[in-house]
Amino acid sequence: MFAKSGREDMDYDLERGVGIMLGEKERDVHHSPENGSNTCEGLLTTYHEYCAHTSIHGVQYLGERERPLRERIFWLCSFLISIYACATLISSAYTKWTETPVIVSFAEKSTPVWNIPFPAVTVCSETKRVLKQKGKETTYADLYSQFSEEMRSSGIFKPPNVSALEMEEFRTLLHVCNTQIIEDDMPLIAGDDLDYYDVLERMLPQFDRYFFYCRWLSRFGECEKFFRKTLTEEGICYTFNGLRASDIYREDTYQYQHSGEPLEMENISSRHTPWTLETGYSHNSDVETFPARVLSAGARSGIFLALQSFKQEVDYACRGPVQGFKVLLHAPDDVPQVSKQFVRIPMGKEVLIAVKPNMITMSSGISEYHPQRRQCFLSHERSLRFFKVYTESNCQLECLANFTLTKCGCVKFSMPRNMEMPVCGEDKIHCYDRAERQLLVREFKRIRALDAAGDISRGVESACNCMPACTSLVYNTEISQANFDLEEMLLAEGDTDFMEEYPGSQMSRLSIYFKESQFITSKRSELYGITEFLANCGGIFGLFMGFSILSLVEMIYHFTLRFFTNLKRLAKMQER
């Protein structure tokens, strides 16, 4: 029985082998070199084998010889529609991956206020020049009126009753008083070139009279220990907790040369890595460090100032009807630009400023992206000409200085500059005062044109290229105030000595502190990385076609290794 079965199997194999040989001979007849090439035959054979074995949906129907033509056309159309849908969706996913790879979201946990520096506080008095004997000393209004009349009549301004020092002060006040009234045909006043910083310093009100007393971290002290002079577009102001000019500006700049000696609190620094906004404080740094920080919220953990001015020393023609002080809160590594944003501290008021920090950090993964893709700069990616520290504000200030130099041939005395750059005189006040708006209009038109052309990605680079820093810190404020009547308080206490010592005194009190002990930071993190992109592509291919990486390997295998195997087999059959 088993022998019979074995013979039947042998007969079947023999017949099958003969049939295969006959079939191969028939194909050799129909596809001989006279009728076709081995390559076409091998490619056709490989195609049918691939269609029969592939895992991609629908392709197997295209390779079946016995399937009706209309069915194969139906499956071909379905396959092409699936490919079109895949291409459209993957193109959308690729656009999302390239244009919006980074998202700004809330961090996973809150940040204590001792992890960031207390805000730098820049205070500017509206009194730029002290009138010691009002009525006898020539005021800014008198000088400007006399200047306007003489320039219109004779074209020369040489008043006999004005000393050389007063003339220098007048020329300097033209740059810090209401520059909006300066006409575009303002002439250059005869005289030597001025170092405006020296003249402004000479005109400064006495510091200890205007900054009456200070309290920092519940400790009273002399304000000179906490504040340093800072050159701004509105003259010389005083800054608390800001980095020195030598830490912000490069060595060849005018500001670096006038950085001054370090304050007592600036000598208290970390024993390890210095503070930067990207790295923060060292883990081993002391409680008292610089820039200074606080350990909790509330008025006891902030700075308290008593600011004073005097009625007889106010020159309303210079700064207008609103007198008092301007206060700007900014990051320690930012150069203060007081005219852009400030808090008014009017006289006879107590002002409380509750600070709410807004900090944006970044995850380590997005540092691998190009700055144009993540839309922010790391500190080492954007080098500035005048600044050691990159911030968006510093970059914009440098761009304005470069634009003003190109437009006017000089820069304003307060702008960052090296020692060779010319400083604008009185005849260029109108030019540099309008330069900022002209720069903004130019950038607006350029970026709008690029946006309309669909090329906004190059708009930032072709302009000032001042994208935000990847790690940034902004101090938002909540302000409340009440009347502070010094005279009534002194009368109630029977104190008459104070007003005799400080006649015409107008006093205000200012308190700055963190509103809460912890805050929620924002974080730049990867929204759509390479992993998410590949997963999205795989899901689209799987949904429409059942395609995977092995499907690609399968395709490569059939049309490379398998194709050459079929060609060799056909060549051997022809040799027989």
Side-chain angles (χ1 to χ4, degrees):
M1 178 177 177
F2 289 105
K4 183 179 180 181
S5 176
R7 284 195 298 271
E8 290 176 352
D9 291 342
M10 292 176 63
D11 294 341
Y12 173 76
D13 292 339
L14 182 61
E15 292 174 358
R16 184 171 178 272
V18 172
I20 292 174
M21 292 176 64
L22 290 174
E24 290 177 347
K25 288 181 179 180
E26 290 176 5
R27 285 196 296 271
D28 290 339
V29 172
H30 293 295
H31 298 282
S32 60
E34 291 80 3
N35 298 321
S37 64
N38 289 343
T39 302
C40 293
E41 175 64 19
L43 186 62
L44 186 62
T45 302
T46 304
Y47 167 73
H48 287 294
E49 288 180 353
Y50 173 73
C51 292
H53 297 95
T54 183
S55 60
I56 301 177
H57 300 329
V59 176
Q60 61 268 28
Y61 301 116
L62 302 178
E64 295 180 356
R65 299 177 185 271
E66 65 277 4
R67 187 166 295 279
L69 179 61
R70 60 179 179 272
E71 292 188 15
R72 280 189 281 177
I73 293 175
F74 167 78
W75 282 108
L76 178 62
C77 293
S78 300
F79 183 73
L80 293 177
I81 291 172
S82 296
I83 291 178
Y84 175 77
C86 286
T88 302
L89 293 176
I90 290 175
S91 176
S92 177
Y94 179 77
T95 301
K96 184 177 181 181
W97 178 47
T98 54
E99 294 185 357
T100 57
V102 176
I103 186 175
V104 179
S105 59
F106 290 117
E108 296 82 4
K109 59 182 181 179
S110 59
T111 302
V113 293
W114 49 259
N115 210 31
I116 63 171
F118 193 79
V121 182
T122 298
V123 183
C124 292
S125 174
E126 293 287 25
T127 301
K128 305 301 180 184
R129 174 178 180 241
V130 175
L131 299 177
K132 299 179 177 61
Q133 296 179 355
K134 192 170 183 179
K136 296 182 180 180
E137 187 176 7
T138 307
T139 66
Y140 174 75
D142 297 335
L143 287 169
Y144 190 79
S145 176
Q146 187 177 357
F147 168 78
S148 300
E149 292 178 1
E150 294 189 8
M151 290 305 299
R152 281 195 297 266
S153 60
S154 62
I156 300 175
F157 181 53
K158 291 184 178 180
N161 59 337
V162 177
S163 65
L165 291 179
E166 284 183 323
M167 182 60 70
E168 291 179 356
E169 292 176 0
F170 173 66
R171 291 173 59 190
T172 303
L173 288 174
L174 287 171
H175 294 271
V176 297
C177 292
N178 294 326
T179 57
Q180 295 82 2
I181 66 174
I182 303 296
E183 299 177 357
D184 56 355
D185 58 348
M186 174 84 171
L188 182 65
I189 301 175
D192 298 332
D193 293 338
L194 297 180
D195 188 330
Y196 293 105
Y197 183 89
D198 292 341
V199 181
L200 286 167
E201 195 172 29
R202 188 175 72 214
M203 293 190 299
L204 272 180
Q206 190 174 341
F207 179 81
D208 56 358
R209 295 177 75 238
Y210 277 69
F211 288 72
F212 192 70
Y213 65 85
C214 304
R215 185 185 69 198
W216 166 242
L217 297 178
S218 300
R219 296 194 300 267
F220 286 92
E222 297 177 355
C223 295
E224 291 90 341
K225 298 179 180 178
F226 307 132
F227 286 86
R228 69 162 45 255
K229 294 175 184 176
T230 304
L231 183 63
T232 71
E233 68 275 21
E234 296 199 354
I236 295 179
C237 302
Y238 293 92
T239 299
F240 164 79
N241 205 39
L243 296 182
R244 294 179 62 199
S246 57
D247 296 327
I248 298 177
Y249 292 92
R250 298 196 182 276
E251 289 76 4
D252 61 341
T253 58
Y254 177 87
Q255 286 79 1
Y256 183 94
Q257 303 298 328
H258 290 75
S259 58
E261 296 298 324
L263 300 174
E264 180 180 333
M265 66 178 298
E266 294 175 347
N267 290 323
I268 305 173
S269 59
S270 175
R271 297 177 182 175
H272 301 281
T273 308
W275 175 87
T276 64
L277 194 55
E278 283 188 358
T279 60
Y281 291 105
S282 171
H283 293 292
N284 299 324
S285 61
D286 298 328
V287 173
E288 294 188 9
T289 185
F290 186 81
R293 55 180 172 181
V294 297
L295 302 182
S296 64
R300 291 182 178 273
S301 298
I303 187 170
F304 178 82
L305 303 175
L307 302 173
Q308 185 175 221
S309 68
F310 300 89
K311 296 178 182 179
Q312 67 273 17
E313 296 179 356
V314 174
D315 191 347
Y316 288 96
C318 179
R319 300 298 300 176
V322 182
Q323 296 295 314
F325 294 83
K326 288 181 178 180
V327 173
L328 172 65
L329 274 60
H330 55 95
D333 55 357
D334 263 340
V335 173
Q337 300 182 58
V338 185
S339 60
K340 283 193 171 183
Q341 51 182 346
F342 54 87
V343 176
R344 282 279 186 188
I345 309 297
M347 303 317 300
K349 296 289 184 180
E350 180 174 42
V351 181
L352 305 179
I353 301 179
V355 180
K356 297 192 299 181
N358 181 14
M359 187 174 187
I360 300 180
T361 60
M362 57 170 281
S363 61
S364 58
I366 71 169
S367 60
E368 300 176 0
Y369 288 93
H370 191 273
Q372 295 298 326
R373 293 189 64 191
R374 62 174 123 89
Q375 287 296 293
C376 66
F377 282 122
L378 298 174
S379 59
H380 65 275
E381 292 177 333
R382 180 75 167 90
S383 178
L384 298 177
R385 178 183 178 187
F386 302 119
F387 296 98
K388 296 178 181 178
V389 181
Y390 177 84
T391 67
E392 185 179 11
S393 176
N394 292 350
C395 178
Q396 291 171 348
L397 182 58
E398 178 172 303
C399 183
L400 176 60
N402 293 331
F403 180 80
T404 304
L405 180 63
T406 303
K407 189 76 175 177
C408 306
C410 57
V411 295
K412 188 175 180 178
F413 69 92
S414 61
M415 290 179 178
R417 58 186 174 91
N418 56 35
M419 304 302 292
E420 290 76 27
M421 293 172 63
V423 179
C424 293
E426 303 79 50
D427 59 328
K428 297 293 185 179
I429 293 178
H430 183 273
C431 181
Y432 72 64
D433 194 48
R434 303 298 185 269
E436 182 173 4
R437 174 166 174 78
Q438 292 174 359
L439 175 63
L440 294 175
V441 171
R442 188 195 72 174
E443 301 308 318
F444 167 75
K445 291 181 178 179
R446 178 177 297 176
I447 294 177
R448 187 177 62 176
L450 291 170
D451 191 16
D455 196 18
I456 189 63
S457 61
R458 292 189 303 179
V460 178
E461 289 187 355
S462 61
C464 291
N465 197 17
C466 292
M467 290 189 297
C470 291
T471 302
S472 59
L473 179 60
V474 177
Y475 297 95
N476 299 321
T477 59
E478 288 185 1
I479 304 171
S480 60
Q481 64 180 17
N483 292 329
F484 180 71
D485 199 326
L486 177 64
E487 292 185 11
E488 292 295 332
M489 183 190 71
L490 294 175
L491 288 175
E493 295 179 352
D495 186 356
T496 58
D497 295 337
F498 183 87
M499 297 306 296
E500 292 177 359
E501 184 179 358
Y502 300 100
S505 172
Q506 304 176 103
M507 187 172 290
S508 293
R509 296 196 304 194
L510 172 64
S511 183
I512 304 173
Y513 54 88
F514 282 119
K515 184 179 181 180
E516 298 175 348
S517 297
Q518 297 195 4
F519 64 98
I520 301 296
T521 61
S522 299
K523 189 175 185 179
R524 301 179 195 271
S525 54
E526 192 177 49
L527 170 66
Y528 208 70
I530 184 65
T531 302
E532 289 77 13
F533 175 68
L534 291 177
N536 203 341
C537 292
I540 293 172
F541 275 124
L543 176 64
F544 285 91
M545 304 174 62
F547 186 87
S548 66
I549 295 297
L550 289 180
S551 301
L552 178 63
V553 174
E554 190 178 54
M555 184 183 300
I556 295 172
Y557 160 73
H558 275 92
F559 289 97
T560 54
L561 297 177
R562 190 64 182 171
F563 173 65
F564 291 121
T565 301
N566 289 334
L567 288 180
K568 290 181 180 179
R569 180 172 56 84
L570 290 172
K572 289 181 180 179
M573 291 173 59
Q574 283 185 354
E575 291 175 358
R576 296 175 188 172

